[in-house]
């Protein structure tokens, strides 16, 4: 279902527990528990996420979360509807800056768990093909995120 990669940060049990709870809930909410889809979650530093953002999006700044989906939304919906997962498919990659999560938790007066959970759910729904560019799409994505949270 998921793999965790620690890139220049310390491995913590708390991270694993939150990821397990949140990603399991996301998969359950989208009826993907029995699919052979998997996600790679990389936890990293602001400098590393800035470099990834620069390399793949040509944006030279640190951010909180990046998502790299493997499927277009329509393609994924078709695979899910047909249960077309003969072998393991990678849904995509989620990259999270732990330091940014800590900063934003303080800024928004949330717990670390709440902010980290939101980054995971937000990243997951980007992998599912949702975005927040158009207002109507943003509304749909936010409703899905809030339901999981």
């Amino acid at each position: 279902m998921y793999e965790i990669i620690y890139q220049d940060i310390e491995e913590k049990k708390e991270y694993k527990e939150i990821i397990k709870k949140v990603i399991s809930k996301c998969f359950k909410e989208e009826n993907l528990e029995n699919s052979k889809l998997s996600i790679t979650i990389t936890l990293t530093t602001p400098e590393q996420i800035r470099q990834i953002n620069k390399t793949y999006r040509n944006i030279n700044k640190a951010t909180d979360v990046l998502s790299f989906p493997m499927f277009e939304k329509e393609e994924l919906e078709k695979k899910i509807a047909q249960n077309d997962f003969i072998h393991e498919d990678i849904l995509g990659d989620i990259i999270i800056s732990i330091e940014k999560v800590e900063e934003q938790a303080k800024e928004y007066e949330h717990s670390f768990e709440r902010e980290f959970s939101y980054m995971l759910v937000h990243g997951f729904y980007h992998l599912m093909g949702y975005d927040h560019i158009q207002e109507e799409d943003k509304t749909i994505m936010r409703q899905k995120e809030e339901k999981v949270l």
Side-chain angles (χ1 to χ4, degrees):
M1 182 183 296
Y2 61 86
E3 173 190 12
I4 305 170
I5 297 171
Y6 295 89
Q7 186 178 45
D8 296 338
I9 67 158
E10 185 182 329
E11 191 173 322
K12 289 188 180 177
K13 185 178 177 186
E14 175 188 19
Y15 302 156
K16 288 181 185 177
E17 290 170 353
I18 294 169
I19 290 168
K20 181 179 180 182
K21 182 168 61 170
V22 172
I23 296 301
S24 295
K25 178 73 171 155
C26 288
F27 270 67
K28 184 175 183 179
E29 188 62 37
E30 295 299 323
N31 298 312
L32 297 174
E33 304 111 297
N34 297 320
S35 74
K36 294 180 179 172
L37 288 169
S38 69
I39 297 172
T40 300
I41 300 163
T42 302
L43 306 179
T44 193
T45 64
E47 178 52 32
Q48 289 292 336
I49 207 166
R50 182 198 63 76
Q51 189 61 44
I52 294 164
N53 207 13
K54 181 180 177 187
T55 301
Y56 295 99
R57 299 181 64 230
N58 205 27
I59 299 172
N60 190 18
K61 75 175 213 177
T63 189
D64 48 11
V65 61
L66 292 171
S67 301
F68 295 96
M70 292 300 290
F71 300 100
E72 294 294 327
K73 189 172 192 292
E74 296 74 24
E75 179 186 11
L76 182 60
E77 287 172 347
K78 183 178 174 186
K79 285 181 84 64
I80 291 169
Q82 296 173 350
N83 196 20
D84 183 20
F85 301 106
I86 298 167
H87 53 79
E88 187 171 296
D89 275 315
I90 296 170
L91 185 57
D93 298 302
I94 300 172
I95 303 165
I96 298 174
S97 169
I98 290 296
E99 190 176 312
K100 235 7 194 161
V101 171
E102 290 167 348
E103 288 172 14
Q104 289 175 183
K106 288 176 187 160
E107 180 183 337
Y108 302 135
E109 299 179 352
H110 292 155
S111 67
F112 173 83
E113 182 177 2
R114 166 64 173 84
E115 191 64 21
F116 187 40
S117 296
Y118 178 73
M119 291 299 121
L120 290 162
V121 173
H122 188 76
F124 173 81
Y125 278 107
H126 275 307
L127 298 184
M128 293 294 294
Y130 293 91
D131 67 44
H132 42 82
I133 298 167
Q134 302 293 326
E135 196 57 41
E136 64 263 18
D137 296 332
K138 182 178 180 177
T139 300
I140 293 166
M141 187 171 177
R142 294 292 182 258
Q143 287 172 344
K144 288 184 165 290
E145 291 169 344
E146 287 303 319
K147 191 169 184 187
V148 170
L149 291 169

